[in-house]
Amino acid sequence: MRFIIIGGDAAGMSAAMQIVRNSEGHEITVLEKGEITSYGQCGLPYVMSGEVESTDDLIARKPETFREKYGIDVRTSHEVTQVDCNQKVVYAERLDTNEDIELKYDRLLIASGASPVIPPWKGRDLRGIYTLKTIPDIQEIMEAATEETGKVTIIGGGYIGLEMAESFVSIGKKVRLIDRGSHLAKIFDEDMSTHIHEEAEQKGVELHLGESVTGFNGDEKVQTVITDHGEYETDLVLVAVGVTPNTSFLEDTGIYKGMNDAITVNAFMETSILDIFAAGDCATQYHRIKQKDDYIPLGTHANKQGQIAGLNMIDRRRSFKGIVGTSILKFFDLTLARTGLSEHEANQEKFPYQTITIESTHAAGYYSKNDSMTLKIVYHKESRKLLGGQIIGKRGADKRIDVLSTALYHQMTIDELEDLDLAYAPPYNGVWDAVQQAARKAD
Ligand SMILES: Cc1cc2nc3c(=O)[nH]c(=O)nc-3n(C[C@H](O)[C@H](O)[C@H](O)COP(=O)(O)OP(=O)(O)OC[C@H]3O[C@@H](n4cnc5c(N)ncnc54)[C@H](O)[C@@H]3O)c2cc1C
């Protein structure tokens, strides 16, 4: 069989490797519009802060490794422009030679990811305005972040905005963070975000919340950011207001798209058209708590969906079990972690719910070196099943969010959480762990 994969990063190359590892005799062609394959985008902010030494460290496998070691025909600088699902043909342009090519496939995987959005703000094409998605992006940002570039404006208080705020501060920049919402990190409830705001202010990040950007001024290069509240001087702007799936080249194919224009897939990563699969940031994910498709573009989902797509492309039936909405990020000294539904989402989904919020510690209360943490749990008022959890703290937040996400995956109740046999010793927790302390407070 001839497999074509569009996109050579997390989802696409995970699929390609599954095909290579679990079958023989197939032809695999990967069409990637960039120059780099299979790299850890999640590590990009840490290259600027120096926690990751070089962008080279983020690259798992280079195109030549895929070609020479695994026999995958990886073609970089190839942008797919159209797909003919009836003739089973993919049309692409070679960006280095402007040559048009067409390739026939037996099975196709769309793993084209997502791209950062810049709203149609006045002056958005000025030099000095960046988004962050790829290795070349961070290289450009780092080149621009010279000593003369003192003032940085970040637009968007999601995870990329927050991680980059920390990175810019770590290299001595004065950071202003603008978000039109009333609080940073909207995946957390407003009551939890107070801790994030305090951390930002303590670390010198100037917050402008509830403020909408309308444009930029400058002579070729950006000099000011204009909002509905004022105009601020800036030397560099990072726009981190979200991403949109790269699916526009699929117009007129009949491939069904759902939320945010992401490709709708079933549990086998099959699209609405036979022999066409999709995975990663260009596709939807089934949300186990919401019991419907969602769009939460994350590397953890892209790798899993890619792997499952690859197996199904060679008829090794395996299903994607869905997500529960777990994510984590470091913001200066804090760990921000969440899983399932926030209270805001539980409301939106019209679940009758209760919440419990506690202040606890990562170690036993009497243990001298303990870090405080705030833990919020949302559970169903009638069935008592867990709906979600949010933790903001320092050490120990990561392990507890994974306890909660595992509990959510298995549809546990708040009472069952209390019954769990969790590891205990004073340097790690109290005899009742923080998650159990919260569960014990349930009505
Ligand atoms: C700064 C940053 C930090 C992140 N941190 C985290 C984190 O901590 N945890 C987490 O889970 N996730 C994180 N993510 C998200 C994660 O990186 C993405 O979810 C993941 O890379 C998606 O993989 P993908 O293969 O679906 O798409 P992509 O990585 O977007 O890859 C798609 C590929 O397709 C190519 N392509 C697109 N259109 C075409 C076309 N028409 N023809 C040919 N090729 C095409 C693109 O060039 C790209 O290489 C982060 C992302 C960024 C940018």
Side-chain angles (χ1 to χ4, degrees):
M1 263 203 271
R2 178 160 208 194
F3 297 118
I4 292 188
I5 296 176
I6 306 172
D9 194 29
M13 297 323 296
S14 295
M17 288 305 293
Q18 286 303 313
I19 299 173
V20 168
R21 288 195 169 123
N22 294 289
S23 66
E24 276 178 5
H26 299 304
E27 221 180 289
I28 310 167
T29 303
V30 176
L31 301 172
E32 164 54 54
K33 78 173 176 191
E35 297 288 337
I36 300 169
T37 52
S38 206
Y39 64 101
Q41 267 164 37
C42 315
L44 292 172
Y46 307 106
V47 178
M48 194 169 75
S49 64
E51 272 125 317
V52 174
E53 253 176 51
S54 146
T55 49
D56 287 348
D57 297 337
L58 301 179
I59 301 173
R61 290 189 187 97
K62 295 186 171 170
E64 51 270 30
T65 311
F66 285 116
R67 285 184 209 118
E68 288 156 19
K69 197 164 169 197
Y70 300 104
I72 302 168
D73 175 17
V74 174
R75 304 191 193 182
T76 52
S77 296
H78 279 64
E79 178 168 7
V80 173
T81 49
Q82 213 186 325
V83 175
D84 182 336
C85 307
N86 297 320
Q87 302 301 318
K88 290 191 151 185
V89 174
V90 167
Y91 297 89
E93 186 192 341
R94 268 193 72 160
L95 301 174
D96 48 352
T97 59
N98 290 337
E99 190 189 336
D100 290 326
I101 62 158
E102 49 181 275
L103 294 171
K104 277 198 83 71
Y105 64 83
D106 295 307
R107 283 186 179 161
L108 173 70
L109 171 64
I110 304 161
S112 50
S115 294
V117 176
I118 303 192
W121 291 320
K122 170 184 160 281
R124 69 174 184 169
D125 295 326
L126 287 168
R127 264 194 309 117
I129 302 173
Y130 300 92
T131 55
L132 177 61
K133 172 70 184 170
T134 61
I135 286 180
D137 290 343
I138 196 73
Q139 286 167 338
E140 273 186 47
I141 293 170
M142 284 167 66
E143 265 167 41
T146 55
E147 273 182 25
E148 296 77 62
T149 305
K151 294 189 194 115
V152 171
T153 305
I154 296 179
I155 305 171
Y159 73 89
I160 294 179
L162 292 178
E163 289 175 351
M164 286 300 285
E166 180 182 343
S167 273
F168 277 118
V169 168
S170 78
I171 58 163
K173 305 301 173 203
K174 180 92 196 81
V175 176
R176 173 180 280 119
L177 202 162
I178 304 175
D179 195 298
R180 66 179 178 186
S182 60
H183 68 280
L184 295 174
K186 280 181 219 54
I187 52 176
F188 291 84
D189 286 322
E190 190 148 12
D191 50 348
M192 296 294 284
S193 63
T194 329
H195 302 282
I196 313 174
H197 299 168
E198 281 170 11
E199 183 73 357
E201 275 155 16
Q202 253 182 36
K203 296 296 189 293
V205 176
E206 189 179 312
L207 295 184
H208 292 248
L209 299 173
E211 202 166 331
S212 292
V213 170
T214 54
F216 308 97
N217 267 330
D219 181 16
E220 284 188 24
K221 186 175 176 300
V222 66
Q223 282 167 343
T224 61
V225 180
I226 312 158
T227 74
D228 53 0
H229 283 49
E231 185 165 355
Y232 311 102
E233 281 184 10
T234 193
D235 301 313
L236 187 153
V237 175
L238 176 74
V239 182
V241 296
V243 296
T244 186
N246 295 323
T247 53
S248 57
F249 66 95
L250 299 170
E251 292 309 322
D252 307 325
T253 53
I255 294 175
Y256 189 70
K257 293 189 222 162
M259 212 173 165
N260 291 26
D261 255 357
I263 302 164
T264 303
V265 286
N266 65 13
F268 304 101
M269 301 295 110
E270 292 163 330
T271 68
S272 54
I273 307 263
L274 186 68
D275 291 331
I276 302 188
F277 299 72
D281 282 9
C282 64
T284 54
Q285 301 86 30
Y286 179 73
H287 196 298
R288 292 170 70 92
I289 313 297
K290 294 184 182 171
Q291 297 190 2
K292 63 181 183 189
D293 285 343
D294 208 338
Y295 181 64
I296 305 183
L298 283 176
T300 163
H301 309 151
N303 278 281
K304 289 192 196 100
Q305 286 191 321
Q307 172 176 312
I308 283 165
L311 289 172
N312 287 307
M313 287 167 83
I314 51 169
D315 294 319
R316 292 238 180 152
R317 293 299 266 182
R318 172 125 178 236
S319 62
F320 180 60
K321 302 293 184 298
I323 61 167
V324 293
T326 312
S327 61
I328 189 163
L329 78 124
K330 178 180 168 304
F331 183 52
F332 295 102
D333 295 336
L334 289 185
T335 297
L336 321 179
R338 55 98 67 210
T339 186
L341 309 185
S342 61
E343 180 175 359
H344 175 72
E345 285 174 299
N347 230 327
Q348 273 181 338
E349 297 299 315
K350 300 198 173 22
F351 282 116
Y353 66 87
Q354 300 265 59
T355 67
I356 306 158
T357 303
I358 62 158
E359 296 298 326
S360 186
T361 49
H362 96 284
Y366 56 75
Y367 191 72
S368 56
K369 295 178 209 148
N370 72 45
D371 295 336
S372 59
M373 66 170 69
T374 306
L375 195 147
K376 177 170 180 176
I377 292 185
V378 186
Y379 65 99
H380 199 285
K381 209 171 181 172
E382 286 144 21
S383 69
R384 298 180 70 77
K385 282 199 175 137
L386 292 166
L387 292 175
Q390 297 160 66
I391 306 177
I392 297 188
K394 294 179 180 169
R395 282 176 291 175
D398 53 345
K399 90 161 182 172
R400 283 160 182 111
I401 208 65
D402 281 341
V403 169
L404 288 176
S405 88
T406 308
L408 273 168
Y409 184 95
H410 289 289
Q411 302 188 332
M412 285 171 58
T413 63
I414 187 86
D415 312 294
E416 285 168 328
L417 197 58
E418 193 179 332
D419 296 336
L420 285 179
D421 177 20
L422 300 179
Y424 159 64
Y428 302 103
N429 47 9
V431 69
W432 292 98
D433 186 83
V435 294
Q436 294 172 314
Q437 289 167 24
R440 295 176 87 198
K441 289 213 163 16
D443 292 336

